[in-house]
Amino acid sequence: MAYWLFKSEPNTWGWDDQVAKGDAGEEWDGVRNYQARNFMRDMKLGDLGFFYHSMKEKSVVGIVEVIAEAHADSTTEDPRWECVDIKAVRPFVKPVTLDQIKETPMLADMVLVKNSRLSVQPVTQAEWQKVCAMGQTQS
DNA sequence: GCCAACGTTGGC
DNA sequence: GCCAACGTTGGC
């Protein structure tokens, strides 16, 4: 089981939109970055991820699950781009902000801190458990 | 709203 | 194949 982080600007696609899709989930499409795509290719059914709101909020707000492995991105004809499907699993009781993450020494190496522009990122198990604890959410 | 950082594109 | 120019992202 691997852990990931999906980043989105809430005005474009937010946690509420994801929750509204229910168990059917939704494609995580529109990714046009090779690194991010390669991480999605590595994802397996049942992998879990953080859902992160960028820009104004800059917070991890919930947990999602991979419900379909990488397949063609339906928003482009370009065969280079692929995406996975994810569904909302549960929200954070308390969203964990980027500031909190930066203040936490054991999270200082998170990709979110090191390479903030990457929209799909791997998360280590230690980071996963720590952030879940900070959000008062079952890991 | 600004700007730095990064990735991608295209000319040579 | 290199690198300058450009566009986009996202923190501040």
Side-chain angles (χ1 to χ4, degrees):
Chain A
M1 157 92 77
Y3 299 103
W4 309 96
L5 182 145
F6 297 87
K7 187 166 53 187
S8 185
E9 211 234 299
N11 289 336
T12 308
W13 179 260
W15 174 252
D16 291 342
D17 299 304
Q18 189 67 53
V19 169
K21 290 290 177 178
D23 286 344
E26 179 74 357
E27 279 190 356
W28 194 259
D29 54 31
V31 171
R32 301 290 182 267
N33 172 287
Y34 290 105
Q35 259 188 296
R37 183 208 59 191
N38 291 343
F39 287 132
M40 288 199 288
R41 283 181 172 172
D42 288 340
M43 292 181 189
K44 301 283 185 243
L45 223 64
D47 278 358
L48 297 177
F50 290 134
F51 195 104
Y52 176 82
H53 279 170
S54 65
M55 306 300 279
K56 289 281 180 194
E57 295 184 41
K58 290 177 292 181
S59 314
V60 179
V61 295
I63 291 176
V64 294
E65 178 183 341
V66 175
I67 57 169
E69 294 180 9
H71 57 83
D73 184 333
S74 67
T75 62
T76 177
E77 295 295 306
D78 193 329
R80 289 178 301 172
W81 303 119
E82 299 174 16
C83 60
V84 296
D85 292 3
I86 60 175
K87 70 169 185 180
V89 175
R90 58 181 166 274
F92 272 33
V93 176
K94 292 180 59 175
V96 176
T97 67
L98 181 61
D99 286 344
Q100 284 177 268
I101 289 171
K102 285 182 170 174
E103 287 166 6
T104 307
M106 69 167 286
L107 299 178
D109 287 333
M110 277 187 75
V111 182
L112 193 63
V113 177
K114 289 286 176 67
N115 182 3
S116 61
R117 295 192 48 186
L118 188 59
S119 59
V120 176
Q121 314 174 353
V123 173
T124 69
Q125 188 172 8
E127 290 164 353
W128 179 266
Q129 286 169 354
K130 182 63 179 174
V131 174
C132 285
M134 290 165 70
Q136 296 174 14
T137 301
Q138 169 197 352
S139 63

